[in-house]
Amino acid sequence: GLDSEGRLEIRRLLRKLARTGKTMFLSSNNFREVQEMCSHIAIINEGKIVACDELRKLRKKYAKPMIHVRFHPKIAGNRKQMKEICNDIRALGFVRNCMVKADGVLHVELEDFRFSSKLNEFLVRRGLPVLEFKKRMRSLEDLYGSLVKESG
């Protein structure tokens, strides 16, 4: 491993080489660093490439927008009601998936963030006491985990 100064120097060198049109291969499980340094990414599982493209294209294809919805504790603590809400949300045409997490937060995967307002409208019409409605794009680490799981 490199110290902080060494990492910065290597990054500067790699960026300089990239500007000259050079291609470099970086093997890393430091996903934040990969996102900062790389324009193209290959995800490898057991020696096989399971996905390879520009980072933005991989995100568009695999990392669908996610909304985390936190309800008032009286709703969040009622597992049966949370599952019913999730089932109703799944029936909306713009929702890819809905999961009830152990902490009582719904994770709603949308086709596109443009539909987040429609999801919010749905919850308001139902009169549900929403405490938090947060947009979240799946991280590269999440993307890696799901692609490796699907391939293996």
Side-chain angles (χ1 to χ4, degrees), residues 23-126:
T23 298
M24 286 138 305
F25 290 91
L26 172 68
S27 176
S28 177
N29 61 357
N30 182 333
F31 295 103
R32 191 166 59 142
E33 186 172 61
V34 169
Q35 290 177 120
E36 291 174 13
M37 298 292 301
C38 302
S39 62
H40 290 70
I41 294 176
I43 295 176
I44 300 170
N45 185 33
E46 296 183 4
K48 294 184 178 138
I49 295 175
V50 296
C52 182
D53 210 331
E54 293 176 42
L55 177 57
R56 67 178 179 78
K57 288 181 181 177
L58 287 174
R59 281 191 183 279
K60 186 173 182 174
K61 185 173 181 178
Y62 297 107
K64 296 300 179 190
M66 184 80 70
I67 303 288
H68 291 186
V69 183
R70 184 178 308 279
F71 294 99
H72 185 278
K74 74 176 185 184
I75 302 286
N78 184 334
R79 195 84 173 147
K80 182 180 180 211
Q81 187 175 10
M82 289 291 284
K83 285 182 180 180
E84 289 171 0
I85 293 168
C86 206
N87 286 337
D88 292 344
I89 289 172
R90 266 191 216 102
L92 300 172
F94 52 85
V95 173
R96 291 177 54 97
N97 198 10
C98 181
M99 298 164 285
V100 180
K101 294 299 184 173
D103 59 359
V105 174
L106 288 186
H107 289 200
V108 183
E109 189 177 336
L110 301 175
E111 289 293 335
D112 191 288
F113 272 135
R114 291 176 297 175
F115 296 113
S116 60
S117 61
K118 289 184 182 267
L119 175 62
N120 191 39
E121 288 172 20
F122 172 81
L123 298 169
V124 168
R125 277 197 316 273
R126 294 271 310 261

